[in-house]
Amino acid sequence: MKGSYLLTTLVIALMVFSCNQKTDEGYSMQKKVFGDYDGKEVVLITLKNSEGNTLKLTNYGATIVWIEVPDRDGNMENITFGYETLDEYTNGDPYFGSVVGRYANRIAKGKFILDDIEYNLAINNGMNTLHGGPGGWHSVVWDYEITDNEENIPSVIFRYHSPDMEEGYPGNMVIEVTYQWTDNNEIIIDYNCSTDKKTVLNITNHAYFNLKGAGNGDILDHEVTILASQFTPVDQDLIPFGENIAVEGTPFDFTQSHIVGERIEEDNEQLVLGGGYDHNFVLDNVEEVDAIVYEPKSGRMMEMITDQPGVQLYCGNFLDGTEAGHGGKVYEHRGGLCLETQHFPDSPNQSAFPSSVVEPGSPFKSRTVYRFSVK
Ligand code: GLA
């Protein structure tokens, strides 16, 4: 009896964890079935680094589902928004942790001209296109490869083929997004995208962070530093009107650390338009670290490093308390903040902005790092 019980348990365990590697180095990589979507299997992948900290990912949207790191007393907590079921992701979520493309952020009127050809995109944000359109890369099933590469870093490589004219964008694009989860508690994200036709690209990850723990209140008490001397002010549709403005003397000056709540309610036209911070910062790209988020009570700190020209600071202004994630915890208004590394919104229509054009034969390569520690 006991033997058959053990056998059944073993079989179930083998079915659930079709891959379970615990290595001599102390890290581990596992996957289990998360569900089915669009006729394809979706998995939940758990990477543990040698420090015992966890990163969970799914191939639906190449999404970060869970980041569990200690506070200064060693208490573990998940600090990013995510769901327990695939259905909640596929029912349309606010891009919790997902990769966003082919063009993250907004393209005015959902159109742009490239080499005299006008391309019309799927519209999903008033008159405009947001985050690649309704069928963007956050909502597709990616291929995946779980690997500890040559350096023994637990990693996942996600791959997707975006067909020519998908959501209206020209060119077949092959996209590779690699997440490495280092013993230094860094998520290193590498993007590698190539096309067979001239196209535009803006790819990012849309993780929401709350360093007190996802669902543990708002982020107004988080201290933020962004090394950006300028930002791109927006119109009523949150589309930049083409000018970079100095942050100095405005509530957008995060070159010295400020708590998010200090100025977010100020009577400032840009803050009113964004419902708070929802703006692209023009990174100075002078130091190794481009942005720091610190939460004094837990002592958790996140450093962000990127080679991209901009970062969208979004403070969950559109969240209204109707989303609940892991453990049924409610993600309230301003319950999380995003640092979406990017090219500037609407660049395909704004010649003064750094070009977001990708050409055949010159793949786009980019790296963003989120590093977690305590202080
Ligand atoms: C980005 C945008 C926001 C909002 C969120 C998703 O951060 O800038 O305006 O659309 O994504 O809800």
Side-chain angles (χ1 to χ4, degrees):
M1 183 64 190
K2 201 173 171 200
S4 71
Y5 170 77
L6 276 177
L7 190 66
T8 317
T9 314
L10 189 68
V11 170
I12 291 174
L14 280 174
M15 278 162 59
V16 172
F17 294 103
S18 35
C19 151
N20 180 1
Q21 302 179 27
K22 178 95 186 157
T23 60
D24 293 344
E25 285 76 17
Y27 59 86
S28 65
M29 306 182 290
Q30 300 178 335
K31 73 166 181 181
K32 65 175 184 178
V33 173
F34 202 31
D36 262 322
Y37 186 72
D38 206 13
K40 295 181 197 114
E41 187 180 75
V42 178
V43 294
L44 184 66
I45 302 165
T46 301
L47 305 180
K48 238 182 219 288
N49 64 17
S50 304
E51 297 297 307
N53 301 320
T54 306
L55 171 68
K56 294 188 193 178
L57 304 160
T58 175
N59 60 324
Y60 179 76
T63 298
I64 297 177
V65 175
W66 176 276
I67 307 167
E68 192 180 311
V69 286
D71 68 8
R72 73 160 79 78
D73 300 319
N75 301 308
M76 302 296 270
E77 190 97 44
N78 164 48
I79 49 94
T80 199
F81 287 6
Y83 298 113
E84 281 172 13
T85 66
L86 177 61
D87 279 354
E88 288 163 291
Y89 282 103
T90 58
N91 283 341
D93 71 291
Y95 309 92
F96 289 169
S98 51
V99 164
V100 176
R102 186 173 304 197
Y103 203 94
N105 216 299
R106 293 168 177 80
I107 295 187
K109 312 270 187 292
K111 53 170 92 163
F112 62 94
I113 294 171
L114 201 57
D115 286 345
D116 298 329
I117 303 171
E118 182 176 287
Y119 293 96
N120 288 282
L121 308 172
I123 304 280
N124 61 341
N125 190 243
M127 308 263 291
N128 308 306
T129 299
L130 175 68
H131 293 332
W137 298 343
H138 63 286
S139 65
V140 300
V141 180
W142 296 58
D143 293 333
Y144 62 91
E145 184 185 328
I146 304 171
T147 169
D148 49 0
N149 56 45
E150 280 116 54
E151 287 146 66
N152 292 332
I153 301 171
S155 311
V156 181
I157 306 168
F158 290 109
R159 295 190 180 93
Y160 178 64
H161 170 215
S162 169
D164 187 26
M165 297 312 286
E166 183 186 41
E167 301 291 276
Y169 300 91
N172 287 291
M173 192 161 243
V174 175
I175 307 111
E176 206 175 80
V177 178
T178 304
Y179 292 93
Q180 302 184 59
W181 181 223
T182 73
D183 285 345
N184 214 11
N185 297 328
E186 292 156 316
I187 303 174
I188 302 178
I189 313 177
D190 284 306
Y191 302 97
N192 198 331
C193 312
S194 49
T195 183
D196 65 355
K197 220 193 238 176
K198 197 166 177 181
T199 190
V200 296
L201 172 77
N202 191 22
I203 185 168
T204 193
N205 179 285
H206 204 298
Y208 291 68
F209 302 99
N210 183 324
L211 299 181
K212 290 182 289 198
N216 294 347
D218 63 43
I219 45 80
L220 296 174
D221 52 2
H222 284 42
E223 298 175 11
V224 171
T225 309
I226 304 176
L227 295 184
S229 318
Q230 295 181 311
F231 77 113
T232 50
V234 290
D235 65 15
Q236 67 286 349
D237 286 338
L238 300 185
I239 311 268
F241 48 78
E243 225 182 306
N244 298 353
I245 299 247
V247 295
E248 201 181 344
T250 78
F252 291 84
D253 190 350
F254 283 99
T255 55
Q256 306 285 321
S257 138
H258 286 271
I259 61 164
V260 174
E262 184 184 327
R263 302 166 297 178
I264 199 168
E265 293 296 350
E266 269 183 24
D267 186 17
N268 168 287
E269 195 201 358
Q270 284 296 315
L271 285 173
V272 173
L273 288 170
Y277 297 105
D278 190 356
H279 294 78
N280 173 60
F281 287 73
V282 180
L283 290 170
D284 295 339
N285 284 137
V286 282
E287 304 280 340
E288 196 233 342
V289 172
D290 295 288
I292 302 170
V293 183
Y294 177 64
E295 195 284 300
K297 271 204 210 94
S298 67
R300 287 194 187 91
M301 175 157 93
M302 179 177 84
E303 290 163 295
M304 188 282 286
I305 299 149
T306 189
D307 53 18
Q308 287 298 284
V311 64
Q312 186 87 2
L313 171 65
Y314 170 60
C315 288
N317 311 309
F318 291 120
L319 297 172
D320 59 6
T322 51
E323 293 291 337
H326 296 293
K329 281 182 163 182
V330 171
Y331 299 150
E332 62 185 65
H333 181 57
R334 297 181 180 155
L337 66 81
C338 305
L339 287 174
E340 304 154 50
T341 57
Q342 62 182 1
H343 271 65
F344 303 172
D346 199 34
S347 300
N349 293 309
Q350 312 231 11
S351 51
F353 287 171
S355 169
S356 59
V357 171
V358 181
E359 309 245 17
S362 302
F364 169 89
K365 288 181 202 289
S366 169
R367 172 174 281 193
T368 291
V369 178
Y370 297 103
R371 182 191 293 149
F372 303 94
S373 59
V374 288
K375 198 172 82 173

